[in-house]
């Protein structure tokens, strides 16, 4: 066993699998996400409840605000390096911004969910 891995968590999906593929941190079945970045009420396979662990409100500003700043800086750097026309930039950033923000929210929510489940010894 690797350092820090217990017999209970061996073989369970990690944070990246939970965030990207929506795998339940307890049983590994799909169905962690109900929407683009909202947790399901409970796992369809094992019945583990997720709704009460979902972070909401102002705490998510700590995720969205730095990601927004990084996206703005990336847009300025891209414009400085390659002068693309506006008709290219609008669809580029119109697709990139939601994907990056949703990805960051999913990763942070999966991290917080797994930390809370471990704290309550459910994982």
């Amino acid at each position: 066993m690797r350092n820090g891995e217990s017999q209970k968590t061996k073989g369970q999906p990690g944070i990246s699998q939970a965030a990207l593929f929506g795998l339940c941190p307890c049983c590994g079945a799909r169905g962690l996400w109900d929407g683009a970045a909202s947790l399901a009420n409970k796992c369809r396979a094992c019945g583990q409840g997720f709704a009460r662990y979902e972070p909401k409100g102002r705490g998510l500003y700590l995720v969205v605000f730095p990601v927004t700043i990084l996206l703005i800086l990336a847009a300025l750097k891209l414009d400085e390096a390659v002068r693309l026309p506006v008709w290219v930039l609008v669809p580029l950033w119109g697709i990139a911004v939601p994907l990056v923000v949703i990805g960051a929210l999913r990763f942070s929510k999966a991290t917080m969910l797994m930390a809370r489940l471990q704290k309550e010894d459910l994982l």
Side-chain angles (χ1 to χ4, degrees):
M1 252 183 275
R2 289 183 298 209
N3 196 9
E5 183 180 277
S6 69
Q7 187 67 27
K8 195 174 185 180
T9 60
K10 185 176 181 183
Q12 297 300 322
I15 294 171
S16 58
Q17 289 94 358
L20 294 175
F21 305 117
L23 302 181
C24 173
C26 298
C27 67
R30 286 189 162 225
L32 179 64
W33 303 109
D34 197 22
S38 62
L39 292 172
N41 288 332
K42 64 180 184 174
C43 178
R44 287 174 260 175
C46 69
Q48 173 65 47
F50 302 131
R52 69 183 187 139
Y53 299 110
E54 182 165 14
K56 295 179 181 176
R58 294 183 188 146
L60 294 176
Y61 288 144
L62 297 173
V63 175
V64 175
F65 188 66
V67 168
T68 305
I69 290 173
L70 289 174
L71 285 169
I72 291 170
L73 293 174
L76 292 173
K77 272 297 198 190
L78 180 67
D79 188 49
E80 182 181 305
V82 183
R83 295 275 184 184
L84 294 174
V86 173
W87 63 270
V88 173
L89 291 174
V90 169
L92 172 75
W93 292 113
I95 293 170
V97 169
L99 288 176
V100 171
V101 170
I102 289 171
L105 284 172
R106 287 182 93 164
F107 187 78
S108 66
K109 285 184 176 188
T111 303
M112 287 187 233
L113 172 68
M114 292 180 81
R116 289 176 179 172
L117 287 173
Q118 284 178 348
K119 183 178 179 183
E120 292 185 8
D121 203 27
L122 296 173
L123 192 62

